[in-house]
Amino acid sequence: MKTLKICNISKSYRGVPALCNLELTLSGGRVHALMGENGAGKSTLIKLLAGVIPADSIKLLKDGEPVSLTSAQDAHAAGFRFIHQELNIVPQISVAENILLGRRYPCWFGPAINWRSLERKAQEALAFLGADHIPVKKIAGSLPSGDRMLVKIAAAFVADKEEATADLFVFDEPTAALSSDESRKLFKVIERLKNRGAAILYVSHRLDEVLSICDDITVLRDGHLVSTGTVRQTSRNALIHAMTGRDVKDAYPPRTSPIGVAPVVTAKNVSNEHLHGLDFTLHKGEVLGVVGLAGSGQGELLRLLLGDGKPKSGTLAFQMSPAPGSPNNAWRKGIAYIPRERRGEALMLSLSIRSNIVLPHLARFGWLANKHAETRIAEDLCEKVRLKYDSIEQTTSQLSGGNQQKVIFARALFGNPSLLLLDEPTRGVDIGAKFDIYQLVRAQSAKGCAVVLASSDLSEILGMCDRILVLQNGRQTALLSRDNMTSADLLQYFYTQEAA
Amino acid sequence: MIEKLRHSGTLLGFAAIIIFFALRLPDTFLTARNLINISQQLSMLTVVAATMTIVMVMNDFDLSVGSMASLAGIVAAVLFSMGYPVWVGILAALAVGLLGGFFNGFLVSVVGILPFVATLGTLTIFSGMAFLASGGKTIYGRDIPAGFSGFARAGIPLDSIGFSGLKLPYLSITAICVVALVWFVLEHTTFGRRLYAIGGNMEAAHLAGIRVKKLRLLAFGLTGIGAAAAGLMYASRVASANPTQGSGLMLDAIAAVFLGMTMSQQGEPRVLFTLIGVLMLGVLDNGLTQIKVDSYVREILVGVIVILAVAIATISKRKS
Amino acid sequence: MNKFQFYFAAAIAFCATSIQAETVTVITPYLAQPGTQMYVEGFEKEAKAKGWDVNVVDTAGDVAAAISRIEDATTQKVDAIVINVDPAQVAAGLQTAHDANIPVVGMDAGSDPLLAANVTSNGYAMAAETAVYVANRIEGKGKVVMFVFDAFPPVQVRGVIADAVFGNFPDIEVLDRITPDVSDGGIADSRAKMEAILAANPEPGSIAAVWAAWDQPALGALQAIEDAGRGGEGIVIVGMDANPQARAAIASGGNFEASMAQDFQAIGSTTADVVGRLIAGKKIRAKVIYVPTKLITSANATE
């Protein structure tokens, strides 16, 4: 495919326009970034291209030929492939089966599956992507998330051998769940797809990523096209301006108050089944970054501090007394936690904003539910986190990702915690909301709240943290001071042991 | 508007059923006597369904309520036949219900077995215990004290408010009290709010500091007590105890909760909606018997209506 | 909701009949049992001849629902109610009917002051006849397996009598007294239980007879014995009620030798007679009305 012209595409929900008369041209062999804040219309565009929602008006020209798009089957036949951030592989079956899922399995005779041929096909698809380190017989659920993403891509790719060629790959926030190392592998794969002549539409919130791997950039705001052009013609600041409509001079608010002296968390040689040799002291108002390759134990470290699991050896103290033994105990002592998976671990999507905010703090209202007091406090907190909402009683499923994250922040800020545990707090959050979140963290730290921030976004770590703890396979390998470090410097520590 | 219609679809269906029977049976259906009859006929199912709502709020469910009801009736009856006074039998039966419920809760929350499997297991355990304790016999006649069986036949006379010869049965009053209590616990205590949070997202609730294990244990205990109470009511109503007599309650109770879930905002169980679900099933039974619809046709109709209500709610939810 | 109403109306139009005729409601939790079906058939046949409007309600094993349906029928002011369920368990409903002056007749139900009459077979006599048949066939000695069901009073009576008969023969030993699980009809579980007993008593001749309080366990035991290859040991099987399957087994001349035929149809039609007399305002003096029974052996099984 040489070009895919998307003309005159519009969609509105109940009279509210989500996309207005958008025009976009994608070219084979080029990576086209699609950017914009949450609610700008990116997801709507993807859903229209996938044929899963009907457009109000749509016109597609593939190399000048019109393409009709009324169902997901049409999209597939047109050669469009979609890779979403949710890694929706089937965890119980093998990698090979995942790759050929939905295709006709190769058979011996009748219904008997020819497993060897099936595995060979899967192997070929992976090899093409340069991902032949993934064993095809392995059960897919046991793969790390980066490899799962590659399996998904292989699955999108394998189809074209028998059916329509895939000429458009749409990546929707593919790196949201990946470590930087895994992301690099993914970028290599995207490079290969591009060299093969496929067009790639790449949706991401991560500016650095977009600037380094994309050729063209289109920015949407409120359903309208704001700017489009090549990457070379644009800059970081211009992009932020285009997306938010305002200038963001400094994404990370600077520290304005000194770090305290009183220790909040003291870990002395702490180990459990996932973590080894944790040794650090976290002071009042200090922000500690936790980094490492994906799955190195960042999440486990936060959970340990939350009391979900106990240290097997060593001593772990919170404010000079033994660390809490359960999440219940931790919240009561003023430890607040923001989990990594917003939907899976933090929110009750079917419950109201109010219920979600007050949930860990219900005991403070007594055994009788006090809706008035809850509403008052929840509304105060919503204002503090600058949540955009209609009613405190609306369910959190109706909020955008960034606003959902703010609800979780409001929950954490209830009653001014003395320790804030953040696991990827800005993942999948748009630039504007990110900035709000950084300011909230700074404000808490200024009040003396200690913060532990686990993140795979190294610029965020460098921008926010005072000290940085590096984990390798659950072992603490370095405790660094932030001064004058760059991402490249920091990245070195991820691999030191392998190098040595 | 469409949103409103979706939540009230089942309610409209209920109203349609009532209007239909009222037109079809002008002399007998909407009479005080018949309505009181219905309330009494439904009292046991109401208690089981209301307490079943407590666990279903957490996305769990309890298949063992029917056999727990049978077991509770047998425990009380066996104690009566050994000469113990009525209150001892009742307390012992409720205690058995609480312990059985805790056992379910223990299996589900502490051991971590799926509720379907765990309560399927205890269903047969409780049923077997009921057979064992009774020797497979129906305990009836002189073994059941009049004070116990009389409860189901007595009530508060309504002569003073113009319904001469009628009484509000104690069974109905018990059921109303249980519904009120469950409503208060689920909607107006922090305990209930936490249960809804567990139903919304168990992992998130755990990480937000809710003692999920303990609360699930307690909730199953309450469902167990409810089942035992219903079993006692049943035994009182039939003035006998039989090791299988409660088994019909479980499926109807779950069906009632599901019917109720079609009426709530987010499809979550609410006890007042459960009550409407119970009433729907009961009114159908009563009305269809009166217009002499074959009992098997009646069963088919009840199933069709449950599926229809849930299907309409599901489809309209998908569309909105 | 219009559709709803339409289907309802269709269902009702299907079932609706004339209003002037006497209406009688038959209520039982046990309509799935073949015996009950035959009572009801006999009753309906007779009722049709009398021009009544009969409504049969099956509560599928639920006794409390039977009370509810008695109350509903009372509300509906039927002319009479017929029950096939233990009256002691539905006393609450009987009281309601009694207060509304609606006569209730038991169709093989049991006796109760609140019942106008109960029509049944003489269970004591029937059990005595089959038990004595067994005792005589095995010449007063050997091990006997009993299948009983004490949860249902009319069947419990049979067990008591058989206990007494066997107890009176010093050389007869009751090997086991089994209550099969009847939720699947009773044959399958009885067969499984019998297989276990056969396995536990492998020597030929160690089991002399099987006495079953009704036919299904006898049929289950027969299957177990034949499949174990022990059909030639001369184990005597007797059942009760003589349902068609049992008659066929008896007629084939195998181990299943005898059963008692209750005249279910006659119980049904006699019940209809009693109801007819009550509706006509006549008094019933004997509260229990027995319908004759007959021993079925290979000689008369095909009649």
Side-chain angles (χ1 to χ4, degrees):
Chain A
M1 182 189 74
K2 289 204 175 66
T3 60
L4 177 71
K5 251 177 106 72
I6 304 168
C7 322
N8 192 17
I9 187 166
S10 295
K11 172 76 188 175
S12 53
Y13 294 102
R14 292 178 196 159
V16 182
L19 272 184
C20 302
N21 257 331
L22 196 71
E23 307 247 344
L24 195 64
T25 305
L26 305 175
S27 313
R30 288 183 79 83
V31 181
H32 196 122
L34 184 66
M35 302 198 71
E37 300 199 85
N38 288 331
K42 294 168 305 193
S43 330
T44 307
L45 178 62
I46 293 173
K47 282 181 193 158
L48 290 173
L49 285 177
V52 293
I53 56 170
D56 298 344
S57 74
I58 187 167
K59 198 172 154 198
L60 287 179
L61 291 173
K62 190 174 161 185
D63 295 333
E65 297 285 314
V67 179
S68 90
L69 202 57
T70 51
S71 68
Q73 282 77 18
D74 285 351
H76 195 267
F80 300 171
R81 301 286 182 270
F82 299 82
I83 291 107
H84 297 286
Q85 55 174 319
E86 284 91 18
L87 300 167
N88 42 358
I89 58 161
V90 184
Q92 295 90 346
I93 62 178
S94 73
V95 167
E97 281 179 274
N98 263 291
I99 291 176
L100 279 108
L101 199 65
R103 312 271 148 264
R104 183 191 284 275
Y105 283 5
C107 292
W108 284 116
F109 48 84
I113 298 170
N114 182 345
W115 290 104
R116 202 175 297 166
S117 158
L118 177 101
E119 279 155 11
R120 201 182 54 240
K121 282 191 178 192
Q123 187 70 53
E124 281 168 13
L126 285 172
F128 176 81
L129 298 178
D132 32 12
H133 64 283
I134 302 174
V136 290
K137 287 186 182 176
K138 204 163 176 186
I139 295 300
S142 61
L143 296 177
S145 48
D147 286 350
R148 292 187 195 191
M149 175 72 72
L150 296 178
V151 167
K152 266 324 263 191
I153 299 171
F157 177 76
V158 74
D160 64 351
K161 302 230 160 135
E162 298 152 19
E163 306 158 30
T165 13
D167 355 72
L168 171 65
F169 286 89
V170 178
F171 289 86
D172 187 2
E173 297 245 18
T175 55
L178 304 189
S179 68
S180 39
D181 192 43
E182 289 169 333
S183 299
R184 266 197 305 282
K185 270 189 210 154
L186 174 68
F187 299 152
K188 276 194 200 127
V189 167
I190 291 177
E191 186 77 23
R192 277 174 186 246
L193 293 173
K194 174 177 147 182
N195 291 341
R196 210 171 142 264
I200 286 148
L201 185 62
Y202 191 87
V203 181
S204 176
H205 285 305
R206 298 187 172 178
L207 279 173
D208 300 328
E209 211 171 275
V210 165
L211 290 169
S212 72
I213 70 160
C214 297
D215 303 300
D216 307 300
I217 293 192
T218 293
V219 179
L220 301 182
R221 192 165 77 224
D222 301 330
H224 293 272
L225 190 141
V226 189
S227 76
T228 184
T230 64
V231 163
R232 261 176 255 161
Q233 290 165 340
T234 188
S235 72
R236 216 184 144 81
N237 286 350
L239 276 176
I240 295 177
H241 182 81
M243 280 191 284
T244 60
R246 61 182 171 184
D247 282 315
V248 183
K249 286 208 188 68
D250 198 347
Y252 304 104
R255 169 170 287 287
T256 53
S257 54
I259 298 171
V261 283
V264 177
V265 177
T266 325
K268 282 198 185 115
N269 202 16
V270 171
S271 300
N272 70 5
E273 57 266 41
H274 306 292
L275 299 160
H276 311 283
L278 296 179
D279 213 295
F280 64 90
T281 306
L282 179 63
H283 301 96
K284 276 188 94 167
E286 189 179 15
V287 181
L288 176 71
V290 178
V291 295
L293 297 175
S296 296
Q298 297 95 317
E300 285 79 4
L301 172 56
L302 295 189
R303 292 229 183 174
L304 179 66
L305 295 177
L306 184 70
D308 192 26
K310 290 191 182 74
K312 286 262 172 341
S313 64
T315 52
L316 184 64
F318 172 68
Q319 290 176 333
M320 317 296 271
S321 52
S326 71
N328 180 270
N329 204 328
W331 282 91
R332 283 197 204 200
K333 286 185 168 168
I335 299 177
Y337 173 54
I338 296 191
R340 178 194 296 246
E341 303 286 342
R342 195 184 303 142
R343 286 160 174 264
E345 298 171 343
L347 283 178
M348 285 80 195
L349 290 170
S350 59
L351 299 190
S352 64
I353 297 175
R354 169 178 60 89
S355 296
N356 270 284
I357 291 177
V358 300
L359 181 65
H361 316 286
L362 280 173
R364 303 186 193 205
F365 297 96
W367 67 275
L368 262 177
N370 183 344
K371 205 173 150 185
H372 289 290
E374 288 176 13
T375 304
R376 209 177 50 242
I377 291 174
E379 282 178 345
D380 282 353
L381 286 165
C382 288
E383 193 159 328
K384 203 166 161 190
V385 300
R386 295 212 227 154
L387 180 74
K388 289 176 202 151
Y389 65 104
D390 301 328
S391 150
I392 199 82
E393 296 300 323
Q394 81 185 102
T395 60
T396 49
S397 58
Q398 297 164 331
L399 298 174
S400 71
N403 278 323
Q404 288 180 339
Q405 194 70 358
K406 285 181 176 176
V407 170
I408 303 167
F409 258 90
R411 173 197 286 172
L413 299 187
F414 187 112
N416 285 320
S418 42
L419 173 61
L420 198 51
L421 306 171
L422 310 176
D423 198 350
E424 302 282 356
T426 60
R427 177 173 149 189
V429 168
D430 62 54
I431 295 267
K434 257 186 196 175
F435 190 66
D436 290 343
I437 287 174
Y438 296 140
Q439 282 191 319
L440 285 170
V441 172
R442 268 287 175 258
Q444 283 304 307
S445 130
K447 280 186 199 162
C449 171
V451 179
V452 181
L453 168 64
S455 175
S456 55
D457 184 345
L458 295 186
S459 64
E460 175 175 295
I461 291 281
L462 293 168
M464 294 301 297
C465 300
D466 303 305
R467 284 191 297 160
I468 300 161
L469 192 158
V470 184
L471 289 172
Q472 258 182 42
N473 265 330
R475 184 169 294 282
Q476 175 179 342
T477 52
L479 185 61
L480 312 161
S481 176
R482 187 250 170 273
D483 351 81
N484 302 324
M485 227 185 320
T486 65
S487 322
D489 297 340
L490 184 51
L491 211 50
Q492 281 184 2
Y493 287 96
F494 287 24
Y495 301 98
T496 42
Q497 271 189 345
E498 284 171 39
Chain B
M1 183 61 207
I2 292 169
E3 189 81 348
K4 276 262 160 60
L5 214 63
R6 169 163 75 80
H7 300 312
S8 46
T10 309
L11 217 50
L12 287 175
F14 182 45
I17 290 170
I18 289 182
I19 292 169
F20 174 78
F21 285 133
L23 293 177
R24 179 80 204 180
L25 300 161
D27 302 328
T28 56
F29 185 69
L30 281 185
T31 58
R33 180 180 294 278
N34 193 44
L35 296 181
I36 284 173
N37 267 351
I38 293 178
S39 78
Q40 176 163 298
Q41 290 166 8
L42 290 180
S43 54
M44 289 134 323
L45 179 58
T46 306
V47 169
V48 176
T51 48
M52 176 74 89
T53 310
I54 301 174
V55 285
M56 287 187 72
V57 156
M58 306 182 299
N59 283 338
D60 290 329
F61 54 91
D62 185 348
L63 299 179
S64 71
V65 286
S67 50
M68 173 49 79
S70 307
L71 177 60
I74 290 289
V75 166
V78 167
L79 289 175
F80 296 155
S81 67
M82 289 160 71
Y84 286 95
V86 172
W87 64 269
V88 172
I90 291 177
L91 279 187
L94 292 177
V96 165
L98 183 67
L99 286 177
F102 277 153
F103 184 59
N104 278 328
F106 172 79
L107 293 178
V108 170
S109 83
V110 180
V111 183
I113 307 176
L114 286 177
F116 185 89
V117 182
T119 59
L120 189 65
T122 51
L123 180 156
T124 57
I125 292 175
F126 297 156
S127 169
M129 286 163 80
F131 271 101
L132 199 65
S134 64
K137 284 181 203 161
T138 301
I139 302 169
Y140 68 110
R142 260 167 296 163
D143 287 339
I144 306 294
F148 179 72
S149 54
F151 178 79
R153 284 171 223 181
I156 296 170
L158 295 177
D159 300 291
S160 54
I161 55 166
F163 297 108
S164 58
L166 288 183
K167 55 195 183 204
L168 187 59
Y170 287 141
L171 286 181
S172 310
I173 297 171
T174 310
I176 293 165
C177 290
V178 169
V179 170
L181 202 67
V182 173
W183 173 77
F184 180 77
V185 166
L186 284 183
E187 314 266 334
H188 292 283
T189 65
T190 43
F191 171 73
R193 301 282 304 288
R194 288 181 173 132
L195 295 190
Y196 275 106
I198 293 174
N201 187 337
M202 192 179 299
E203 178 66 9
H206 167 65
L207 292 176
I210 287 177
R211 280 178 279 199
V212 174
K213 281 185 186 172
K214 188 179 125 187
L215 294 188
R216 279 176 107 188
L217 198 70
L218 272 177
F220 272 99
L222 291 180
T223 304
I225 289 195
L232 288 171
M233 291 161 73
Y234 197 117
S236 167
R237 182 152 160 88
V238 299
S240 59
N242 169 297
T244 61
Q245 66 191 17
S247 53
L249 290 169
M250 179 263 288
L251 287 176
D252 280 347
I254 293 179
V257 179
F258 274 122
L259 275 176
M261 284 161 70
T262 64
M263 288 175 256
S264 63
Q265 282 286 327
Q266 296 291 320
E268 77 282 11
R270 299 259 168 204
V271 74
L272 293 184
F273 291 138
T274 298
L275 179 62
I276 294 179
V278 169
L279 288 175
M280 233 170 131
L281 295 178
V283 163
L284 273 175
D285 251 358
N286 176 280
L288 291 175
T289 311
Q290 287 200 41
I291 55 178
K292 292 187 253 169
V293 171
D294 185 279
S295 43
Y296 302 136
V297 174
R298 210 173 63 224
E299 277 182 30
I300 293 172
L301 271 179
V302 168
V304 166
I305 284 168
V306 171
I307 291 173
L308 211 62
V310 176
I312 290 173
T314 311
I315 291 168
S316 57
K317 196 171 187 177
R318 203 184 302 148
K319 281 196 177 148
S320 66
Chain C
M1 286 305 127
N2 285 334
K3 261 190 194 161
F4 245 49
Q5 278 207 332
F6 171 78
Y7 290 130
F8 263 84
I12 280 110
F14 186 72
C15 306
T17 39
S18 68
I19 302 160
Q20 291 88 349
E22 277 89 356
T23 52
V24 181
T25 300
V26 181
I27 295 165
T28 173
Y30 312 118
L31 197 56
Q33 304 286 342
T36 309
Q37 282 162 13
M38 286 164 77
Y39 304 135
V40 172
E41 264 172 38
F43 183 87
E44 281 181 316
K45 203 184 278 173
E46 190 68 27
K48 200 177 167 193
K50 294 184 195 297
W52 295 346
D53 184 2
V54 177
N55 181 26
V56 180
V57 177
D58 176 25
T59 63
D62 189 340
V63 180
I67 301 180
S68 301
R69 301 292 83 85
I70 293 171
E71 289 168 352
D72 291 349
T74 307
T75 307
Q76 199 194 330
K77 298 196 178 66
V78 295
D79 294 291
I81 297 171
V82 173
I83 58 165
N84 170 235
V85 56
D86 178 14
Q89 290 184 275
V90 296
L94 297 183
Q95 190 66 51
T96 314
H98 186 260
D99 293 348
N101 277 325
I102 293 175
V104 183
V105 177
M107 187 157 66
D108 197 11
S111 333
D112 191 279
L114 290 169
L115 282 186
N118 180 40
V119 181
T120 185
S121 310
N122 191 338
Y124 297 95
M126 288 163 69
E129 203 159 348
T130 55
V132 170
Y133 178 90
V134 166
N136 291 340
R137 274 286 284 114
I138 62 176
E139 292 167 356
K141 61 174 184 285
K143 290 177 181 169
V144 178
V145 178
M146 291 174 72
F147 281 92
V148 294
F149 198 78
D150 291 349
F152 186 48
V155 178
Q156 182 254 344
V157 156
R158 300 174 181 176
V160 169
I161 293 298
D163 286 340
V165 171
F166 295 137
N168 205 32
F169 288 87
D171 293 335
I172 290 182
E173 181 195 342
V174 174
L175 194 58
D176 206 344
R177 208 169 177 280
I178 298 160
T179 303
D181 179 356
V182 294
S183 55
D184 58 356
I187 295 186
D189 190 58
S190 305
R191 175 180 172 156
K193 296 267 162 63
M194 191 66 207
E195 277 164 355
I197 289 172
L198 287 169
N201 297 277
E203 307 85 40
S206 53
I207 298 169
V210 176
W211 181 90
W214 74 109
D215 282 332
Q216 272 82 352
L219 288 163
L222 176 66
Q223 289 175 3
I225 288 168
E226 286 180 346
D227 280 15
R230 296 176 66 172
E233 284 176 27
I235 301 174
V236 177
I237 305 174
V238 297
M240 216 177 291
D241 301 336
N243 72 28
Q245 207 182 342
R247 279 173 189 265
I250 293 167
S252 73
N255 296 60
F256 196 163
E257 294 189 5
S259 184
M260 287 302 296
Q262 290 195 64
D263 199 340
F264 293 108
Q265 296 264 0
I267 290 176
S269 57
T270 308
T271 306
D273 277 337
V274 172
V275 169
R277 277 190 279 162
L278 286 165
I279 291 178
K282 290 179 187 153
K283 276 263 174 280
I284 305 288
R285 193 180 294 163
K287 286 253 180 169
V288 181
I289 295 150
Y290 286 122
V291 173
T293 59
K294 190 158 135 196
L295 185 75
I296 299 294
T297 60
S298 58
N300 60 357
T302 49
E303 280 169 15

